Amino acid sequence: MSAPARPAARSLALAAIVGANVVGGISYPIQKIALDGLPPATLTWLRNLVALVLLFWLVRRRGPLTRWARADTLRVLALGTCAFAL
């Protein structure tokens, strides 16, 4: 069993979860408005580009990454592929 999280870490995690849900909830009405002027493929490409830029920014901000075990890497790839498809 892992050590319990510090209160600051829990608060940060909770804020990240709430923020992700707010952004996710807002994206549907904005996407509907954007589809009036953009083709669906362009909108999808732009959303993925923004997500990729933000992901790289977060990774660089966090500092050096630790290596994951092979099993963990495969789990993340499988989850990411299924989540993206859904």
Side-chain angles (χ1 to χ4, degrees):
M1 187 180 267
S2 62
R6 298 182 326 262
R10 281 183 173 227
S11 297
L12 183 61
L14 183 60
I17 291 168
V18 169
N21 280 295
V22 168
V23 169
I26 291 173
S27 70
Y28 293 108
I30 292 173
Q31 182 176 345
K32 256 195 167 334
I33 294 167
L35 282 171
D36 289 338
L38 294 172
T42 303
L43 187 58
T44 301
W45 186 84
L46 288 172
R47 285 179 65 194
N48 285 318
L49 180 65
V50 168
L52 186 65
V53 168
L54 289 174
L55 180 63
F56 277 123
W57 176 74
L58 284 171
V59 167
R60 288 189 53 95
R61 187 176 154 226
R62 190 161 188 255
L65 297 177
T66 58
R67 283 212 164 277
W68 288 353
R70 182 177 172 88
D72 290 338
T73 303
L74 292 175
R75 284 185 193 111
V76 168
L77 288 173
L79 177 63
T81 301
C82 292
F84 188 77
L86 288 173

